Coordinates of all heavy atoms in Angstrom, one line a residue:
M2 N 74.4 127.6 72.4 CA 75.4 126.6 72.5 C 75.8 126.4 74.0 O 76.1 125.3 74.5 CB 76.6 127.0 71.7 CG 77.7 125.9 71.7 SD 77.2 124.5 70.8 CE 78.6 123.5 70.8
K3 N 76.0 127.5 74.7 CA 76.3 127.5 76.1 C 75.2 126.8 77.0 O 75.5 126.0 77.9 CB 76.6 128.9 76.7 CG 77.8 129.5 76.2 CD 78.0 130.8 76.9 CE 79.3 131.5 76.3 NZ 79.5 132.8 76.9
K4 N 74.0 127.1 76.6 CA 72.9 126.4 77.3 C 72.9 124.9 77.1 O 72.6 124.1 78.1 CB 71.5 127.0 76.9 CG 71.3 128.4 77.4 CD 70.0 128.9 77.0 CE 69.7 130.3 77.4 NZ 68.4 130.8 77.0
L5 N 73.2 124.5 75.9 CA 73.2 123.1 75.6 C 74.3 122.4 76.4 O 74.1 121.3 77.0 CB 73.4 122.9 74.1 CG 73.5 121.4 73.6 CD1 72.2 120.7 73.9 CD2 73.9 121.4 72.2
L6 N 75.5 123.0 76.4 CA 76.6 122.4 77.1 C 76.4 122.4 78.6 O 76.7 121.4 79.3 CB 77.9 123.2 76.9 CG 78.5 123.0 75.5 CD1 79.7 123.9 75.3 CD2 78.9 121.5 75.3
F7 N 75.8 123.4 79.2 CA 75.4 123.5 80.6 C 74.4 122.4 80.9 O 74.5 121.7 81.9 CB 74.9 124.8 81.0 CG 74.5 124.9 82.4 CD1 75.5 125.0 83.4 CD2 73.2 125.0 82.8 CE1 75.1 125.1 84.7 CE2 72.8 125.0 84.1 CZ 73.8 125.1 85.1
T8 N 73.4 122.2 80.1 CA 72.3 121.2 80.3 C 72.9 119.8 80.2 O 72.6 119.0 81.1 CB 71.2 121.4 79.2 OG1 70.7 122.7 79.2 CG2 70.1 120.4 79.5
L9 N 73.8 119.6 79.2 CA 74.4 118.2 79.2 C 75.3 118.0 80.4 O 75.3 116.9 80.9 CB 75.2 118.1 77.9 CG 74.3 118.0 76.6 CD1 75.3 118.0 75.4 CD2 73.5 116.7 76.6
G10 N 76.0 119.0 80.8 CA 76.9 118.8 82.0 C 76.1 118.5 83.2 O 76.5 117.7 84.0
A11 N 75.0 119.3 83.4 CA 74.2 119.1 84.6 C 73.5 117.7 84.5 O 73.4 117.0 85.6 CB 73.1 120.1 84.7
L12 N 73.1 117.3 83.4 CA 72.5 115.9 83.2 C 73.5 114.8 83.5 O 73.2 113.9 84.2 CB 71.9 115.8 81.8 CG 71.2 114.5 81.5 CD1 69.9 114.4 82.3 CD2 70.8 114.4 80.0
F13 N 74.7 115.0 83.0 CA 75.8 114.0 83.3 C 76.1 114.0 84.8 O 76.2 112.9 85.3 CB 77.0 114.4 82.5 CG 78.2 113.4 82.7 CD1 78.1 112.2 82.2 CD2 79.2 113.8 83.4 CE1 79.2 111.3 82.4 CE2 80.3 113.0 83.6 CZ 80.3 111.7 83.1
F14 N 76.1 115.1 85.4 CA 76.4 115.2 86.9 C 75.3 114.5 87.6 O 75.5 113.7 88.6 CB 76.5 116.6 87.3 CG 76.8 116.8 88.8 CD1 78.0 116.4 89.3 CD2 75.7 117.2 89.6 CE1 78.2 116.6 90.7 CE2 75.9 117.3 91.0 CZ 77.2 117.0 91.5
I15 N 74.0 114.7 87.3 CA 72.9 114.1 88.0 C 72.9 112.6 87.8 O 72.7 111.8 88.8 CB 71.6 114.7 87.5 CG1 71.5 116.2 88.0 CG2 70.4 113.9 88.0 CD1 70.3 117.0 87.4
I16 N 73.2 112.1 86.6 CA 73.2 110.7 86.4 C 74.4 110.0 87.1 O 74.2 109.0 87.7 CB 73.4 110.4 84.8 CG1 72.1 110.8 84.1 CG2 73.7 108.9 84.6 CD1 72.2 110.7 82.6
T17 N 75.5 110.7 87.2 CA 76.7 110.1 87.9 C 76.4 110.0 89.4 O 76.6 109.0 90.1 CB 77.9 111.0 87.7 OG1 78.1 111.1 86.3 CG2 79.1 110.4 88.4
V18 N 75.8 111.1 90.0 CA 75.5 111.1 91.4 C 74.4 110.1 91.7 O 74.5 109.3 92.7 CB 75.1 112.5 91.9 CG1 74.5 112.5 93.3 CG2 76.2 113.4 91.8
N19 N 73.4 109.9 90.8 CA 72.4 109.0 91.0 C 72.9 107.5 91.0 O 72.4 106.7 91.8 CB 71.3 109.2 90.0 CG 70.0 108.4 90.3 OD1 69.8 108.0 91.5 ND2 69.2 108.2 89.4
Q20 N 73.8 107.2 90.1 CA 74.3 105.9 90.0 C 75.2 105.5 91.2 O 75.4 104.4 91.6 CB 75.2 105.7 88.7 CG 74.3 105.8 87.5 CD 73.4 104.6 87.4 OE1 73.6 103.5 87.9 NE2 72.2 104.8 86.8
A21 N 75.8 106.5 91.8 CA 76.7 106.3 93.0 C 75.9 105.9 94.2 O 76.4 105.2 95.1 CB 77.5 107.5 93.3
Q22 N 74.7 106.3 94.2 CA 73.8 105.9 95.4 C 73.0 104.7 94.9 O 71.9 104.8 94.4 CB 72.9 107.1 95.7 CG 73.6 108.4 95.9 CD 74.6 108.4 97.0 OE1 74.4 107.7 98.0 NE2 75.7 109.1 96.8
S23 N 73.5 103.5 95.2 CA 72.9 102.3 94.7 C 71.7 101.8 95.5 O 70.8 101.2 95.0 CB 73.9 101.2 94.5 OG 74.4 100.9 95.8
R24 N 71.7 102.0 96.8 CA 70.6 101.5 97.7 C 69.7 102.6 98.2 O 69.5 102.7 99.4 CB 71.2 100.7 98.8 CG 71.9 99.5 98.4 CD 72.4 98.7 99.6 NE 73.4 99.6 100.3 CZ 73.6 99.5 101.6 NH1 72.9 98.7 102.3 NH2 74.4 100.3 102.2
N25 N 69.1 103.4 97.4 CA 68.3 104.5 97.8 C 66.9 104.0 98.3 O 66.2 104.7 99.0 CB 68.0 105.5 96.7 CG 69.2 106.3 96.5 OD1 70.1 106.4 97.4 ND2 69.3 107.0 95.3
D26 N 66.5 102.7 98.0 CA 65.2 102.2 98.4 C 65.2 101.8 99.8 O 64.1 101.7 100.4 CB 64.9 101.0 97.5 CG 65.9 99.9 97.5 OD1 67.1 100.2 97.8 OD2 65.5 98.8 97.3
L27 N 66.3 101.7 100.5 CA 66.3 101.3 101.9 C 66.2 102.5 102.8 O 67.0 103.4 102.8 CB 67.5 100.5 102.2 CG 67.7 99.2 101.5 CD1 69.0 98.5 101.9 CD2 66.6 98.2 101.7
K28 N 65.2 102.4 103.7 CA 65.0 103.5 104.7 C 64.5 102.8 106.0 O 63.8 101.8 105.9 CB 64.0 104.5 104.2 CG 64.5 105.3 103.0 CD 63.6 106.5 102.7 CE 63.9 107.4 101.6 NZ 65.1 107.3 100.9
G29 N 64.8 103.5 107.1 CA 64.2 103.0 108.3 C 64.8 101.7 108.8 O 66.0 101.5 108.7
P30 N 64.0 100.8 109.3 CA 64.5 99.5 109.9 C 65.1 98.7 108.8 O 66.0 97.9 109.1 CB 63.2 98.9 110.4 CG 62.2 99.9 110.6 CD 62.5 101.0 109.6
K31 N 64.7 98.7 107.6 CA 65.3 97.9 106.5 C 66.8 98.3 106.3 O 67.6 97.5 106.1 CB 64.5 98.1 105.2 CG 63.2 97.3 105.2 CD 62.5 97.4 103.9 CE 61.2 96.7 103.9 NZ 60.5 96.8 102.6
A32 N 67.0 99.6 106.3 CA 68.4 100.1 106.2 C 69.2 99.7 107.4 O 70.4 99.4 107.3 CB 68.4 101.6 106.0
K33 N 68.6 99.8 108.6 CA 69.3 99.5 109.8 C 69.7 98.0 109.9 O 70.8 97.7 110.3 CB 68.4 99.9 111.0 CG 69.1 99.6 112.3 CD 68.1 99.9 113.5 CE 68.7 99.4 114.8 NZ 67.7 99.4 115.8
N34 N 68.8 97.2 109.5 CA 69.0 95.7 109.6 C 69.5 95.1 108.3 O 69.4 93.9 108.1 CB 67.7 95.0 110.0 CG 67.2 95.5 111.3 OD1 68.0 95.7 112.2 ND2 65.9 95.7 111.5
Y35 N 70.1 95.9 107.4 CA 70.6 95.5 106.1 C 71.7 94.5 106.3 O 72.7 94.8 107.0 CB 71.0 96.7 105.2 CG 71.6 96.3 103.9 CD1 70.8 95.8 102.9 CD2 73.0 96.4 103.7 CE1 71.4 95.4 101.7 CE2 73.5 96.1 102.5 CZ 72.7 95.6 101.5 OH 73.3 95.2 100.3
K36 N 71.7 93.3 105.7 CA 72.7 92.3 105.7 C 73.5 92.4 104.4 O 73.0 92.0 103.4 CB 72.1 91.0 106.0 CG 71.2 90.8 107.1 CD 71.9 90.9 108.4 CE 71.0 90.6 109.6 NZ 70.1 91.6 110.0
V37 N 74.8 92.8 104.5 CA 75.6 92.9 103.3 C 75.8 91.5 102.7 O 75.8 91.4 101.4 CB 76.9 93.5 103.6 CG1 77.8 93.6 102.4 CG2 76.7 94.9 104.2
W38 N 75.9 90.5 103.5 CA 76.2 89.2 102.9 C 75.0 88.5 102.2 O 75.1 87.6 101.6 CB 76.7 88.2 104.0 CG 75.8 88.1 105.2 CD1 74.8 87.2 105.4 CD2 75.8 88.9 106.4 NE1 74.2 87.4 106.6 CE2 74.8 88.5 107.2 CE3 76.6 90.0 106.8 CZ2 74.5 89.1 108.4 CZ3 76.3 90.6 108.0 CH2 75.3 90.1 108.8
Q39 N 73.8 89.1 102.4 CA 72.6 88.6 101.7 C 72.3 89.4 100.5 O 71.3 89.1 99.8 CB 71.5 88.6 102.7 CG 71.6 87.7 103.8 CD 70.4 87.8 104.8 OE1 69.6 88.7 104.8 NE2 70.4 86.8 105.7
D40 N 73.2 90.3 100.1 CA 73.0 91.2 98.9 C 73.3 90.3 97.7 O 74.2 89.6 97.6 CB 73.9 92.4 99.0 CG 73.5 93.4 97.9 OD1 72.4 93.3 97.3 OD2 74.3 94.4 97.8
D41 N 72.4 90.5 96.7 CA 72.6 89.7 95.4 C 73.5 90.3 94.4 O 73.8 89.8 93.4 CB 71.2 89.5 94.8 CG 70.3 88.6 95.6 OD1 70.9 87.8 96.4 OD2 69.1 88.7 95.5
S42 N 74.0 91.5 94.7 CA 74.9 92.2 93.8 C 76.2 91.5 93.7 O 76.6 90.8 94.6 CB 75.1 93.7 94.2 OG 75.7 93.7 95.4
P43 N 76.9 91.6 92.5 CA 78.2 90.9 92.4 C 79.2 91.5 93.3 O 79.2 92.7 93.6 CB 78.6 91.2 90.9 CG 77.8 92.4 90.5 CD 76.5 92.3 91.3
S44 N 80.0 90.6 93.9 CA 81.0 91.0 94.8 C 82.4 90.6 94.4 O 82.6 89.8 93.5 CB 80.7 90.4 96.2 OG 80.7 89.0 96.1
A45 N 83.4 91.1 95.1 CA 84.8 90.7 94.8 C 85.1 89.3 95.3 O 84.5 88.9 96.3 CB 85.7 91.7 95.4
T46 N 86.0 88.7 94.7 CA 86.5 87.4 95.1 C 87.4 87.5 96.3 O 88.3 88.3 96.3 CB 87.2 86.7 93.9 OG1 86.4 86.7 92.8 CG2 87.6 85.3 94.3
V47 N 87.2 86.6 97.2 CA 88.0 86.6 98.4 C 88.8 85.4 98.4 O 88.3 84.3 98.3 CB 87.1 86.7 99.7 CG1 88.0 86.6 101.0 CG2 86.3 87.9 99.7
Y48 N 90.2 85.5 98.6 CA 91.1 84.4 98.6 C 91.5 84.1 100.1 O 91.8 85.0 100.8 CB 92.3 84.7 97.8 CG 92.0 84.8 96.3 CD1 91.9 86.1 95.8 CD2 91.8 83.7 95.5 CE1 91.6 86.3 94.5 CE2 91.5 83.9 94.2 CZ 91.4 85.2 93.7 OH 91.1 85.3 92.3
T49 N 91.5 82.9 100.5 CA 91.9 82.5 101.8 C 93.1 81.6 101.8 O 93.3 80.9 100.7 CB 90.7 81.8 102.6 OG1 90.3 80.6 101.8 CG2 89.5 82.7 102.7
N50 N 93.7 81.4 102.9 CA 94.9 80.6 103.0 C 94.4 79.1 103.2 O 93.7 78.9 104.1 CB 95.8 81.0 104.1 CG 97.1 80.3 104.1 OD1 97.3 79.4 103.3 ND2 97.9 80.6 105.1
S51 N 94.8 78.2 102.3 CA 94.3 76.8 102.4 C 95.1 76.0 103.5 O 94.7 74.9 103.8 CB 94.4 76.2 101.1 OG 95.7 76.1 100.6
D52 N 96.2 76.6 104.0 CA 97.0 75.9 105.0 C 96.4 76.0 106.4 O 97.0 75.5 107.3 CB 98.4 76.4 105.0 CG 99.1 76.2 103.6 OD1 98.6 75.3 102.9 OD2 100.0 76.9 103.3
Q53 N 95.3 76.7 106.6 CA 94.8 77.0 107.9 C 94.2 75.7 108.5 O 93.6 74.9 107.8 CB 93.8 78.1 107.9 CG 94.3 79.4 107.5 CD 93.2 80.4 107.4 OE1 92.0 80.1 107.4 NE2 93.6 81.7 107.3
V54 N 94.4 75.5 109.8 CA 93.8 74.4 110.5 C 92.3 74.7 110.8 O 92.1 75.8 111.4 CB 94.6 74.1 111.7 CG1 93.9 72.9 112.5 CG2 96.0 73.8 111.4
T55 N 91.4 73.9 110.4 CA 90.0 74.2 110.7 C 89.6 73.4 111.9 O 89.5 72.1 111.9 CB 89.1 73.8 109.5 OG1 89.4 72.4 109.2 CG2 89.4 74.6 108.3
L56 N 89.4 74.1 113.0 CA 89.0 73.5 114.3 C 87.6 73.9 114.5 O 87.1 74.9 114.2 CB 89.9 73.9 115.4 CG 91.4 73.5 115.3 CD1 92.1 74.2 116.5 CD2 91.5 72.0 115.4
K57 N 86.9 73.0 115.2 CA 85.5 73.3 115.6 C 85.2 72.8 117.0 O 85.9 72.0 117.5 CB 84.5 72.5 114.6 CG 84.6 73.0 113.2 CD 83.5 72.4 112.3 CE 83.6 73.0 110.9 NZ 82.6 72.4 110.1
G58 N 84.2 73.5 117.6 CA 83.8 73.1 118.9 C 84.8 73.5 120.0 O 85.4 74.6 119.9
P59 N 85.0 72.7 121.0 CA 85.9 73.1 122.2 C 87.4 73.3 121.7 O 88.1 74.1 122.3 CB 85.8 72.0 123.1 CG 84.5 71.3 122.8 CD 84.3 71.5 121.3
E60 N 87.8 72.5 120.7 CA 89.2 72.7 120.3 C 89.4 74.1 119.7 O 90.5 74.7 119.9 CB 89.5 71.6 119.2 CG 89.5 70.2 119.7 CD 88.2 69.6 119.7 OE1 87.2 70.1 119.1 OE2 88.0 68.5 120.4
A61 N 88.5 74.6 119.0 CA 88.6 76.0 118.4 C 88.6 77.0 119.5 O 89.3 78.0 119.5 CB 87.5 76.2 117.4
K62 N 87.7 76.8 120.5 CA 87.6 77.7 121.6 C 88.9 77.8 122.5 O 89.3 78.8 122.9 CB 86.4 77.4 122.5 CG 86.2 78.3 123.6 CD 85.0 77.8 124.5 CE 84.9 78.7 125.7 NZ 83.9 78.2 126.6
N63 N 89.5 76.6 122.7 CA 90.6 76.6 123.6 C 92.0 76.6 122.9 O 93.0 76.3 123.4 CB 90.5 75.3 124.4 CG 89.3 75.3 125.3 OD1 88.9 76.3 125.8 ND2 88.7 74.1 125.5
Q64 N 92.0 77.0 121.6 CA 93.2 77.0 120.8 C 94.1 78.1 121.3 O 93.7 79.2 121.5 CB 92.9 77.2 119.3 CG 94.1 77.3 118.5 CD 93.7 77.7 117.0 OE1 92.6 78.1 116.8 NE2 94.6 77.6 116.2
K65 N 95.4 77.8 121.5 CA 96.4 78.7 121.9 C 97.2 79.2 120.7 O 97.9 78.4 120.1 CB 97.3 78.1 123.0 CG 96.6 77.5 124.1 CD 96.0 78.5 125.0 CE 95.4 77.8 126.3 NZ 94.1 78.2 126.6
V66 N 97.0 80.4 120.3 CA 97.7 80.9 119.1 C 99.2 80.9 119.3 O 99.9 80.6 118.3 CB 97.1 82.3 118.7 CG1 97.8 82.9 117.5 CG2 95.6 82.3 118.5
W67 N 99.6 81.3 120.5 CA 101.1 81.4 120.7 C 101.7 80.0 120.7 O 102.9 79.9 120.7 CB 101.3 82.2 122.0 CG 100.7 81.6 123.2 CD1 101.2 80.6 123.9 CD2 99.4 81.9 123.7 NE1 100.3 80.3 124.9 CE2 99.2 81.1 124.8 CE3 98.4 82.8 123.3 CZ2 98.1 81.1 125.6 CZ3 97.3 82.8 124.1 CH2 97.1 82.0 125.2
A68 N 101.0 79.0 120.9 CA 101.6 77.6 121.0 C 101.8 77.0 119.6 O 102.4 76.0 119.5 CB 100.6 76.7 121.8
E69 N 101.2 77.6 118.6 CA 101.4 77.1 117.2 C 102.9 77.2 116.8 O 103.5 78.3 117.0 CB 100.5 77.8 116.2 CG 99.1 77.5 116.4 CD 98.2 78.3 115.4 OE1 98.8 78.9 114.5 OE2 97.0 78.2 115.5
T70 N 103.4 76.2 116.2 CA 104.8 76.2 115.7 C 104.7 76.6 114.2 O 103.9 76.0 113.5 CB 105.5 74.9 115.9 OG1 104.8 73.9 115.3 CG2 105.7 74.6 117.4
T71 N 105.6 77.5 113.8 CA 105.7 77.8 112.4 C 106.9 77.2 111.8 O 107.9 76.9 112.5 CB 105.7 79.4 112.3 OG1 106.9 79.8 113.0 CG2 104.5 80.0 112.8
A72 N 106.9 77.0 110.5 CA 108.0 76.4 109.8 C 109.2 77.3 109.8 O 110.3 76.9 109.9 CB 107.6 76.1 108.4
K73 N 109.0 78.6 109.7 CA 110.1 79.6 109.7 C 109.8 80.6 110.8 O 108.8 81.3 110.8 CB 110.1 80.3 108.3 CG 111.2 81.3 108.2 CD 111.1 82.0 106.9 CE 112.1 83.1 106.8 NZ 111.9 83.9 105.6
E74 N 110.8 80.7 111.7 CA 110.7 81.7 112.7 C 111.5 82.9 112.4 O 112.7 82.7 112.0 CB 111.1 81.1 114.1 CG 110.1 80.1 114.6 CD 110.5 79.6 116.0 OE1 111.1 80.4 116.7 OE2 110.0 78.5 116.4
N75 N 111.0 84.1 112.5 CA 111.7 85.3 112.2 C 112.5 85.7 113.4 O 112.0 85.8 114.5 CB 110.8 86.4 111.7 CG 110.1 86.0 110.5 OD1 110.6 85.3 109.7 ND2 108.9 86.6 110.3
K76 N 113.8 85.9 113.2 CA 114.7 86.4 114.2 C 115.1 87.8 113.9 O 115.5 88.1 112.8 CB 115.9 85.6 114.4 CG 115.6 84.2 114.9 CD 116.8 83.4 115.2 CE 116.4 82.0 115.8 NZ 117.6 81.2 116.1
V77 N 114.9 88.8 114.8 CA 115.2 90.2 114.6 C 116.4 90.5 115.5 O 116.4 90.3 116.7 CB 114.0 91.0 114.9 CG1 114.4 92.5 114.7 CG2 112.9 90.6 114.0
T78 N 117.4 91.2 114.9 CA 118.5 91.7 115.7 C 118.3 93.1 116.0 O 118.1 93.9 115.1 CB 119.8 91.5 115.0 OG1 120.0 90.1 114.6 CG2 121.0 91.9 115.8
I79 N 118.3 93.5 117.3 CA 118.0 94.9 117.6 C 119.4 95.6 118.0 O 120.1 95.1 118.8 CB 117.1 95.0 118.8 CG1 115.8 94.4 118.5 CG2 116.9 96.4 119.3 CD1 114.8 94.3 119.6
K80 N 119.7 96.6 117.3 CA 120.9 97.4 117.5 C 120.6 98.5 118.5 O 119.7 99.3 118.2 CB 121.4 97.9 116.2 CG 122.8 98.5 116.3 CD 123.3 99.0 115.0 CE 124.7 99.6 115.1 NZ 125.2 100.0 113.8
R81 N 121.2 98.5 119.6 CA 120.9 99.5 120.7 C 121.7 100.8 120.4 O 122.9 100.7 120.1 CB 121.3 98.9 122.0 CG 120.7 99.8 123.1 CD 120.8 99.0 124.4 NE 120.2 99.9 125.4 CZ 120.3 99.7 126.7 NH1 120.9 98.6 127.1 NH2 119.7 100.5 127.6
D82 N 121.1 101.9 120.5 CA 121.7 103.2 120.3 C 122.4 103.6 121.6 O 121.7 103.8 122.6 CB 120.7 104.2 119.9 CG 121.3 105.5 119.5 OD1 122.5 105.6 119.4 OD2 120.5 106.5 119.2
T83 N 123.7 103.7 121.6 CA 124.4 104.0 122.9 C 124.4 105.4 123.2 O 124.8 105.8 124.3 CB 125.9 103.5 122.7 OG1 126.5 104.1 121.6 CG2 125.9 102.0 122.6
R84 N 124.0 106.3 122.3 CA 124.0 107.7 122.6 C 122.9 108.1 123.6 O 123.0 109.2 124.2 CB 123.8 108.5 121.3 CG 124.9 108.3 120.2 CD 124.6 109.1 119.0 NE 123.4 108.5 118.4 CZ 122.7 109.1 117.4 NH1 122.9 110.3 117.0 NH2 121.6 108.5 116.9
R85 N 121.9 107.3 123.7 CA 120.8 107.7 124.6 C 120.9 107.1 126.0 O 120.0 107.4 126.8 CB 119.5 107.2 123.9 CG 118.3 107.8 124.5 CD 117.1 107.4 123.7 NE 115.9 108.0 124.2 CZ 114.7 108.1 123.7 NH1 114.6 107.6 122.5 NH2 113.7 108.7 124.2
I86 N 121.8 106.3 126.3 CA 121.9 105.6 127.5 C 121.9 106.5 128.7 O 121.2 106.3 129.7 CB 123.1 104.6 127.5 CG1 122.8 103.5 126.5 CG2 123.3 104.0 128.9 CD1 124.0 102.5 126.3
G87 N 122.8 107.5 128.7 CA 123.0 108.3 129.9 C 122.0 109.5 130.0 O 122.1 110.3 130.9
L88 N 121.1 109.7 129.1 CA 120.2 110.9 129.1 C 119.1 110.7 130.0 O 118.5 109.6 130.1 CB 119.7 111.1 127.6 CG 120.7 111.4 126.6 CD1 120.1 111.6 125.2 CD2 121.5 112.7 126.9
K89 N 118.7 111.8 130.7 CA 117.6 111.8 131.6 C 116.8 113.1 131.5 O 117.4 114.1 131.1 CB 118.1 111.6 133.1 CG 118.6 110.3 133.3 CD 118.9 110.1 134.8 CE 119.2 108.6 135.0 NZ 120.4 108.3 135.5
G90 N 115.6 113.1 131.9 CA 114.8 114.3 131.9 C 114.5 114.9 130.5 O 114.3 114.1 129.5
P91 N 114.6 116.2 130.3 CA 114.3 116.8 129.0 C 115.2 116.4 127.9 O 114.8 116.4 126.8 CB 114.4 118.3 129.3 CG 114.2 118.5 130.8 CD 114.7 117.2 131.4
A92 N 116.5 116.1 128.3 CA 117.4 115.7 127.2 C 117.0 114.4 126.6 O 117.1 114.1 125.4 CB 118.8 115.6 127.8
A93 N 116.4 113.4 127.4 CA 116.0 112.2 126.9 C 114.7 112.4 126.2 O 114.4 111.7 125.2 CB 115.8 111.2 128.1
K94 N 113.8 113.3 126.6 CA 112.6 113.5 126.0 C 112.7 114.1 124.6 O 112.1 113.8 123.7 CB 111.7 114.4 126.8 CG 110.4 114.8 126.2 CD 109.7 115.8 127.1 CE 108.5 116.4 126.3 NZ 107.9 117.5 127.0
N95 N 113.7 115.0 124.5 CA 113.9 115.8 123.3 C 115.0 115.2 122.4 O 115.5 115.8 121.5 CB 114.2 117.2 123.6 CG 113.1 117.9 124.3 OD1 111.9 117.6 124.0 ND2 113.4 118.8 125.2
F96 N 115.4 113.9 122.7 CA 116.5 113.3 121.9 C 116.0 113.1 120.5 O 114.9 112.6 120.2 CB 116.8 111.9 122.6 CG 117.8 111.2 121.8 CD1 119.2 111.6 121.8 CD2 117.5 110.1 121.0 CE1 120.1 110.8 121.1 CE2 118.4 109.4 120.4 CZ 119.7 109.7 120.4
K97 N 116.8 113.4 119.5 CA 116.5 113.3 118.1 C 117.4 112.2 117.5 O 118.6 112.5 117.3 CB 116.6 114.6 117.4 CG 115.6 115.6 117.9 CD 115.8 116.9 117.3 CE 114.7 117.9 117.7 NZ 114.5 118.1 119.1
P98 N 116.9 111.0 117.2 CA 117.8 109.9 116.8 C 118.3 110.2 115.4 O 119.3 109.6 115.0 CB 116.9 108.7 116.8 CG 115.5 109.2 116.9 CD 115.6 110.5 117.5
W99 N 117.7 111.0 114.6 CA 118.2 111.3 113.2 C 119.4 112.2 113.2 O 120.0 112.4 112.1 CB 117.1 111.8 112.4 CG 116.4 113.0 112.9 CD1 116.8 114.3 112.7 CD2 115.3 113.1 113.7 NE1 116.0 115.2 113.3 CE2 115.0 114.5 114.0 CE3 114.4 112.2 114.3 CZ2 114.0 114.9 114.7 CZ3 113.4 112.6 115.0 CH2 113.2 114.0 115.3
K100 N 119.7 112.8 114.3 CA 120.9 113.7 114.3 C 122.1 113.0 114.8 O 122.0 112.2 115.7 CB 120.6 115.0 115.1 CG 119.6 115.9 114.5 CD 119.5 117.2 115.2 CE 118.6 118.1 114.5 NZ 118.5 119.4 115.2

């Protein structure tokens, strides 16, 4: 009974490891030059934002990302910690804001 369970466990392990290695046939230059996008295996669906502006040619090359206006601009208020203002040297280096 122990031999049977051991044999089945080993067989299950070998099959699992073998299935995990899906592209064993590629070696050498074929593996080096493998193109993922040309693979025929099923892949996950990729969703893209349809609101993107599609530019081509010189307009795409010369596009200034920072010049784009967004509908909603995020404003962040930064609260300055006044306990650290006068610290210098090791005291500033070893300052612990959580205390």
Side-chain angles (χ1 to χ4, degrees):
M2 184 68 176
K3 288 183 182 179
K4 288 182 182 181
L5 178 65
L6 288 175
F7 180 74
T8 306
L9 288 175
L12 183 64
F13 180 72
F14 178 74
I15 291 171
I16 290 172
T17 304
V18 170
N19 192 19
Q20 291 296 328
Q22 312 298 324
S23 62
R24 294 183 299 148
N25 285 341
D26 57 334
L27 297 178
K28 292 188 182 350
K31 288 183 180 180
K33 178 184 174 193
N34 299 323
Y35 176 72
K36 309 286 189 283
V37 178
W38 56 89
Q39 293 177 349
D40 192 9
D41 294 334
S42 64
S44 61
T46 305
V47 177
Y48 297 98
T49 59
N50 188 0
S51 61
D52 297 338
Q53 294 176 348
V54 179
T55 55
L56 297 176
K57 294 186 178 183
E60 292 86 14
K62 179 182 175 188
N63 298 324
Q64 179 186 10
K65 309 290 187 226
V66 178
W67 57 86
E69 293 180 3
T70 57
T71 59
K73 179 183 174 187
E74 292 188 22
N75 297 331
K76 293 186 179 181
V77 179
T78 304
I79 299 174
K80 187 176 179 181
R81 191 167 182 190
D82 190 7
T83 57
R84 296 177 295 163
R85 193 173 182 169
I86 291 175
L88 297 178
K89 291 187 169 117
K94 177 185 171 192
N95 298 324
F96 177 74
K97 295 179 177 48
W99 57 87
K100 288 188 177 181

